[in-house]
Amino acid sequence: MKSVAFCTLGCKVNQYETEAMITLFKNKGYKIKSFDEISDIYVINTCTVTGTGDRKSRQMISRAHKKNHNAVIVVVGCYSQVSPEEIKKLQGVSLVLGTKDRSRIVELTEKYIGGSGSPEYHITDIMKQREYEEMWISAYEDKTRAFVKIEEGCSEFCSYCIIPYARGPVRSRPTESIVKEVTDLAANGYREIVLTGIHIGSYGRDLEGKSLIDAVRAAHCVDAVKRIRLGSVEPRVLTDEFVHEISKMDKICDHFHISLQSGCDKTLKRMNRKYTTDEYKKAVERLRNAFDNPAITTDIITGFPGETDEDFETSLQFMKDIAFSEVHVFPYSPRKGTKAADMDDQIEKRVREHRAKKMIADAKLLHKTYVESCMGKIYSVLFEREISPGVYEGHMTNYVKVRASSETNLCHKIAKVKATRYENGAVAGEL
């Protein structure tokens, strides 16, 4: 039996795609090993969202080659799609795929093994791709919630982002396909589904008469699924109609990750984001009017080219005004090949990082305030693991982490828990 090991870098979509490739190899009888073990085949699912992603991808390729000089090393994903010439220079690489043909990875790997032994490259022009590439998952390794990819590609072209060039234009998954995969996952015990994609707000743009709400309804109609969580969306998606519709769906989790990137309109314009802070604020208000104390989370970049001290303070104040429950803060990282990397008024790294530290400190206070607002209330918790004898950890519907004691095994079960106090980064709860 041949063995294969995987390394996944980057986003939740990459994680989904790795699980789908694992499924393909399993179905062909391959043994799945840890990436730290000696394996016949190594698959590195790469990331290119930043220069750091590129570097880590190269490091993992090198690590696999050092682990087994005779191994077949397959490189797939965003970095190989955007920079195949760089990968060609790396030692040990056998087969290179981009962000297409991953559904054929077993076939192409076996073809390589039976071939001449020369490296093979299967990189196509992703910008011409118009069909959604079906990949399937029925189970995840050691997971309680399951990610379901509903969309591929992005056509937004934010000035700092390389992903549209790595993933191509928007391609939406048919709703029948979504229902089938969610049904399979539910049959295998998964009770929470996370709808994910490169830009899920664009779902349906390429399908006549379809939009994101249709994908949500498709997942919601599967009876055995108890919770549905949305991946990252932009404020433009959260119209009165959309929020009204999801508020009527009892499985929708009250946690919404709404992409922001900056709380300053001048910076948003330079980023080529398609909304204003006022539009963002109104989207949040719609959710708070429709849901009881929902968790609103986001991402913010500090030190984007041209961001003045005043712009930063404006962004910082907006973050406080919205009162996010959690904020992922990133100092701007120039990405070669994007418009932002060539902009004037680049900010020094130390300034970018100093601003990030300041924003992170205030974001932690916002998180604490939100968690404290949950105290004394009863929540539905999906428990994921036992962290010590009789103590279980899981997440509330608003994605706040909870720990509770129980004499019975709570792993992979949903239970009602009263939030009592906040300690060590999580809520202590009582069944």
Side-chain angles (χ1 to χ4, degrees):
M1 180 187 290
K2 286 192 175 294
S3 58
V4 58
F6 290 80
C7 174
T8 309
L9 299 161
C11 65
K12 300 295 185 185
V13 176
N14 266 15
Q15 292 176 30
Y16 171 91
E17 290 160 351
T18 291
E19 293 291 345
M21 289 186 285
I22 288 173
T23 299
L24 290 170
F25 275 100
K26 275 185 176 179
N27 290 344
K28 287 290 188 175
Y30 286 77
K31 181 179 180 181
I32 309 301
K33 286 190 172 182
S34 162
F35 196 76
D36 293 326
E37 296 180 283
I38 295 177
S39 181
D40 299 314
I41 302 166
Y42 292 94
V43 178
I44 296 93
N45 194 358
T46 62
C47 174
T48 194
V49 71
T50 65
T52 300
D54 290 356
R55 186 176 70 253
K56 287 184 177 178
S57 297
R58 292 191 295 270
Q59 288 173 347
M60 293 303 103
I61 294 167
S62 176
R63 183 178 298 180
H65 183 56
K66 289 178 181 176
K67 183 72 65 175
N68 181 4
H69 282 273
N70 296 317
V72 173
I73 297 178
V74 185
V75 184
V76 305
C78 292
Y79 178 44
S80 53
Q81 179 68 50
V82 173
S83 306
E85 295 303 319
E86 291 184 17
I87 292 176
K88 287 181 181 180
K89 300 175 185 176
L90 302 177
Q91 263 193 320
V93 174
S94 309
L95 177 63
V96 182
L97 307 179
T99 52
K100 183 179 177 291
D101 291 329
R102 285 148 313 168
S103 60
R104 298 177 58 212
I105 189 169
V106 179
E107 170 198 340
L108 292 172
T109 300
E110 291 180 345
K111 182 181 176 184
Y112 167 81
I113 292 171
S116 65
S118 299
E120 294 183 8
Y121 302 88
H122 295 267
I123 305 294
T124 59
D125 185 351
I126 202 65
M127 303 307 289
K128 294 181 179 179
Q129 185 68 13
R130 294 295 181 270
E131 293 183 4
Y132 181 86
E133 182 180 22
E134 289 282 8
M135 299 178 76
W136 297 89
I137 294 174
S138 57
Y140 279 78
E141 295 293 327
D142 303 321
K143 299 282 185 181
T144 302
R145 64 184 49 81
F147 290 89
V148 172
K149 182 180 170 184
I150 64 169
E151 175 272 344
E152 174 66 277
C154 179
S155 302
E156 297 298 296
F157 293 97
C158 298
S159 61
Y160 55 83
C161 187
I162 197 71
I163 295 306
Y165 304 98
R167 291 282 182 165
V170 171
R171 288 96 75 199
S172 304
R173 187 176 189 175
T175 52
E176 312 83 57
S177 175
I178 295 171
V179 170
K180 183 181 185 304
E181 184 165 65
V182 172
T183 301
D184 288 348
L185 288 163
N188 283 324
Y190 293 89
R191 295 295 173 259
E192 179 175 310
I193 298 297
V194 184
L195 301 181
T196 191
I198 299 301
H199 193 260
I200 67 170
S202 294
Y203 180 88
R205 185 178 292 181
D206 56 328
L207 302 177
E208 187 175 352
K210 297 287 186 180
S211 68
L212 178 58
I213 195 66
D214 294 292
V216 177
R217 288 195 190 106
H220 197 272
C221 76
V222 179
D223 291 338
V225 170
K226 301 305 178 186
R227 293 166 35 153
I228 296 171
R229 197 177 298 278
L230 296 180
S232 177
V233 296
E234 289 189 355
R236 292 177 299 166
V237 170
L238 301 169
T239 61
D240 287 329
E241 181 183 4
F242 182 87
V243 173
H244 176 69
E245 287 297 313
I246 62 172
S247 71
K248 295 187 296 183
M249 301 179 186
D250 58 356
K251 299 176 185 179
I252 297 294
C253 291
D254 50 350
H255 164 228
F256 302 94
H257 189 86
I258 314 171
S259 182
L260 177 60
Q261 307 308 346
S262 176
C264 172
D265 285 324
K266 289 193 296 182
T267 305
L268 286 175
K269 189 173 182 179
R270 288 196 301 277
M271 289 178 167
N272 196 32
R273 302 295 283 180
K274 309 300 193 303
Y275 51 84
T276 64
T277 53
D278 183 60
E279 290 170 324
Y280 192 101
K281 184 178 180 181
K282 288 177 179 175
V284 172
E285 288 172 352
R286 289 186 193 106
L287 289 170
R288 286 179 170 154
N289 288 333
F291 293 85
D292 180 22
N293 195 28
I296 308 295
T297 62
T298 199
D299 305 304
I300 297 180
I301 296 171
T302 62
F304 188 77
E307 183 187 67
T308 64
D309 289 340
E310 182 182 1
D311 294 339
F312 169 71
E313 291 297 334
T314 298
S315 186
L316 181 65
Q317 186 59 50
F318 186 78
M319 179 187 79
K320 296 176 184 177
D321 291 344
I322 294 295
F324 291 103
S325 61
E326 190 169 6
V327 182
H328 303 291
V329 181
F330 305 92
Y332 170 70
S333 176
R335 178 60 177 86
K336 184 181 177 182
T338 63
K339 289 184 178 180
D342 295 326
M343 284 181 176
D344 297 332
D345 301 323
Q346 296 285 327
I347 309 299
E348 289 183 36
K349 184 178 180 181
R350 63 176 183 82
V351 175
R352 302 195 304 260
E353 293 180 346
H354 173 74
R355 291 175 182 173
K357 287 179 182 178
K358 185 175 181 180
M359 189 165 273
I360 288 169
D362 285 345
K364 287 180 178 178
L365 296 176
L366 292 177
H367 176 68
K368 185 173 184 291
T369 299
Y370 178 77
V371 173
E372 287 173 347
S373 74
C374 300
M375 293 305 120
K377 299 176 183 178
I378 296 175
Y379 290 90
S380 169
V381 177
L382 176 58
F383 286 96
E384 294 145 24
R385 62 191 184 114
E386 186 177 21
I387 59 173
S388 61
V391 179
Y392 297 87
E393 184 178 83
H395 286 85
M396 302 193 292
T397 52
N398 59 12
Y399 210 63
V400 171
K401 189 181 292 183
V402 179
R403 299 185 185 117
S405 299
S406 174
E407 293 180 359
T408 59
N409 188 341
L410 293 177
C411 288
H412 312 305
K413 296 178 181 178
I414 295 176
K416 295 290 185 181
V417 175
K418 182 178 182 179
T420 56
R421 63 187 183 282
Y422 184 60
E423 60 180 27
N424 300 323
V427 168
E430 297 176 353
L431 295 173

